[in-house]
Amino acid sequence: MSAAAPVHAFQAQQLWHDAGWRSDAVFAVDDRGRIAQAQGGTPQYLDGWVLPGMPNLHSHAFQRAMAGLAERRGPSDDSFWTWRETMYAFAARINPDTLQAIAAQLYVEMLKAGYTQVCEFHYLHHQPDGKPYAQPEAMSLALIEAAREAGIALTLLPVLYMSGGFDGRPLSPRQNRFGHDVESYLRLLASLRKLERDDLRVGVALHSLRAIPEQAWRGVVEHDALKTGPIHIHIAEQIGEVQDCLATRGARPVEWLFDHAAVDKRWCLVHATHLTESETTQLARSGAIAGLCPTTEANLGDGLFPLARYLDGHGVIGIGSDSHISISPVEELRWLEYGQRLSTRHRNVAARHAGDSVGETLWRATLRGGAQAADLTIGALSSGARADLIVLDRDSPLLAARDSRSVMDSFLFAGNVPLVRNVMVGGTWVVRDFQHRDEARIAARYRSTMEHLTHA
Ligand code: NGQ
Ligand code: ZN
């Protein structure tokens, strides 16, 4: 196919390129919403700092609606596992309409925060009692529709969830709506893959090692349907999970995974918090992505990822907002660095070489890892990539007198009011002057949905 004709030329006052900032850079967006070479025409001038939008590699959309509802101490010692009970009770009340309303609101908030793509790790497949909907894809379609309404690019990862623990026990009643056998899962996957298009990719998610019985594992990971596209899995998030895995399978989760799957750059290991030195090195070498979700990991009391060792091994990282306790790439990256500073009592940990900026290092690294996890040509403003970009607020006092050496660190460490002013996805402006194109309608529907969910 020949290249599409450039249809719109832009000139950015400052444009982010992998190697740094370029002044007065000219580029074009073609009629498929991709970056192309500028070829004449008067470009539209973009004031200020223009950089690639951030992919969000891990989302459970419905959880946004319970953010802040699990922060009061319960009768016993609160933990990840008590939070999960609250989350399950909440999940039981979601249907396709409420999911669409919540997800659309979430995706608007993501766009306004600077995320231009989301990987949806979607396991709320069936009716609350576990029966499939008349249309088995109903919940997936609600997410696809929400992404379309908001104008965010989507990598949908339907989740395979088969068992309720490492011992292969059946799903609990509340987990029934997550469950599939391999055959029905592959049917869902095949039907969703038919919907793939430029801004919709479909990949695979395995919920966790504990959700796939050991006897089913090989048949799943070696199935033809898993030979292409991304594969995401939750892993080694909690110490309890590491202990259970050791007790039942005689190996730590990441160790076990590497022994039982050809883990390569198609894989995204979500959290991967609890790693030994050798697991850290092995993960880094594999080219797989460590899918880090620092605000959720902090909120749930997970632990800290061994960032320095992993980056020294050239490991790939990306960020996700996961439970959506926070929706901000700035906050994810800030927490990622601050967690390391607090635990090591050093500064500038993510910058591994003298002279490197932490902000630039982290934005660059997570663009790359996020694009890899999403399996879309995004994360760079170079020819052929989707035109997914954000423009920082040129008028913010915070960016006064910042130059190309300091702007990213001010953006990531000091920005407490949103600095993302304009957002483009696939060549279309979806946020202009801090306003999303359809935010009033989507927020109104979200409010009435929440009223109904809360009081019905
Ligand atoms: C999830 N979330 O699937 O939503 C999980 C909790 C589980 C996080 N791990 C449920 N952050 O892991 O079983
Ligand atoms: Zn998750």
Side-chain angles (χ1 to χ4, degrees):
M1 207 168 72
S2 66
V7 293
H8 206 126
F10 295 93
Q11 181 170 5
Q13 189 177 12
Q14 295 287 345
L15 186 74
W16 172 272
H17 255 259
D18 206 36
W21 292 99
R22 286 200 339 227
S23 304
D24 294 322
V26 177
F27 63 95
V29 175
D30 70 21
D31 58 2
R32 294 172 62 212
R34 307 220 173 175
I35 304 282
Q37 299 292 338
Q39 296 175 353
T42 310
Q44 183 184 337
Y45 194 66
L46 301 176
D47 265 355
W49 306 93
V50 179
L51 57 158
M54 181 59 68
N56 186 336
L57 60 61
H58 193 66
S59 164
H60 309 287
F62 74 91
Q63 290 176 16
R64 176 58 176 170
M66 60 166 281
L69 297 183
E71 310 299 322
R72 187 177 293 275
R73 191 172 175 130
S76 61
D77 195 15
D78 287 346
S79 68
F80 174 89
W81 307 104
T82 57
W83 169 84
R84 193 172 81 155
E85 285 310 309
T86 310
M87 185 272 279
Y88 279 0
F90 189 79
R93 295 157 56 203
I94 306 293
N95 66 31
D97 289 341
T98 51
L99 181 60
Q100 184 175 333
I102 294 166
Q105 174 62 25
L106 168 71
Y107 296 159
V108 166
E109 290 173 37
M110 283 187 192
L111 289 164
K112 292 173 75 168
Y115 290 119
T116 45
Q117 191 284 337
V118 58
C119 299
E120 195 51 54
F121 195 105
H122 166 56
Y123 59 85
L124 224 52
H125 298 297
H126 311 307
Q127 301 182 55
D129 64 1
K131 274 207 220 75
Y133 284 100
Q135 186 177 29
E137 308 83 0
M139 293 291 260
S140 298
L141 296 176
L143 292 166
I144 292 172
E145 195 48 31
R148 195 196 56 75
E149 284 184 83
I152 199 167
L154 174 67
T155 296
L156 182 63
L157 304 163
V159 173
L160 176 60
Y161 204 128
M162 302 173 72
S163 59
F166 275 102
D167 53 7
R169 80 186 75 156
L171 301 175
S172 70
R174 273 182 166 160
Q175 293 170 330
N176 273 333
R177 71 180 308 194
F178 317 156
H180 279 105
D181 56 28
V182 176
E183 213 174 293
S184 61
Y185 174 76
L186 293 173
R187 273 202 304 276
L188 173 70
L189 184 64
S191 98
L192 294 173
R193 279 189 166 151
K194 291 200 189 111
L195 305 175
E196 282 192 302
R197 52 177 200 232
D198 261 8
D199 59 353
L200 173 62
R201 204 23 115 251
V202 175
V204 165
L206 310 175
H207 182 274
S208 47
L209 293 182
R210 65 192 133 81
I212 314 290
E214 203 169 355
Q215 344 48 291
W217 178 264
R218 184 184 274 272
V220 171
V221 291
E222 291 180 0
H223 196 281
D224 277 350
L226 273 70
K227 293 260 184 319
T228 57
I231 306 175
H232 291 219
I233 184 167
H234 287 132
I235 198 154
E237 179 182 10
Q238 282 280 320
I239 296 281
E241 179 196 333
V242 176
Q243 288 166 341
D244 284 355
C245 192
L246 272 166
T248 53
R249 301 193 183 177
R252 301 168 56 84
V254 169
E255 183 186 24
W256 191 91
L257 180 70
F258 274 86
D259 284 345
H260 292 84
V263 178
D264 60 11
K265 63 183 180 27
R266 293 198 296 129
W267 286 74
C268 177
L269 277 60
V270 180
H271 307 302
T273 309
H274 299 287
L275 304 178
T276 60
E277 288 184 9
S278 70
E279 285 173 317
T280 309
T281 308
Q282 190 171 24
L283 177 53
R285 268 202 206 121
S286 72
I289 308 124
L292 308 177
C293 308
T295 64
T296 294
E297 289 155 11
N299 186 265
L300 299 181
D302 289 341
L304 285 172
F305 178 79
L307 186 68
R309 173 177 295 274
Y310 185 72
L311 291 179
D312 287 343
H314 306 287
V316 181
I317 58 170
I319 47 165
S321 58
D322 190 357
S323 69
H324 312 302
I325 192 65
S326 166
I327 303 167
S328 158
V330 165
E331 208 186 355
E332 296 306 335
L333 295 178
R334 197 181 290 173
W335 269 94
L336 178 58
E337 171 68 19
Y338 279 173
Q340 305 294 318
R341 292 190 192 187
L342 288 164
S343 65
T344 64
R345 300 193 294 273
H346 282 84
R347 300 190 69 253
N348 300 334
V349 177
R352 303 305 298 153
H353 305 286
D356 285 357
S357 135
V358 174
E360 288 177 16
T361 301
L362 287 178
W363 197 270
R364 184 185 290 123
T366 51
L367 283 175
R368 174 182 163 214
Q372 185 179 318
D375 195 29
L376 289 163
T377 312
I378 54 175
L381 297 175
S382 47
S383 276
R386 284 177 60 85
D388 293 0
L389 59 84
I390 66 178
V391 185
L392 302 186
D393 182 21
R394 61 175 184 267
D395 299 332
S396 168
L398 190 75
L399 299 184
R402 293 297 184 266
D403 62 14
S404 58
R405 281 182 60 78
S406 54
V407 65
M408 286 303 279
D409 290 322
S410 295
F411 171 43
L412 288 185
F413 287 104
N416 294 324
V417 292
L419 293 181
V420 177
R421 182 168 187 148
N422 299 308
V423 180
M424 175 188 282
V425 178
T428 301
W429 292 111
V430 289
V431 174
R432 272 190 169 143
D433 279 334
F434 307 104
Q435 298 279 311
H436 180 272
R437 62 179 184 192
D438 201 11
E439 65 175 58
R441 182 189 67 85
I442 289 171
R445 184 182 59 184
Y446 176 75
R447 275 197 204 92
S448 65
T449 300
M450 289 309 294
E451 285 294 326
H452 193 76
L453 262 182
T454 310
H455 300 300

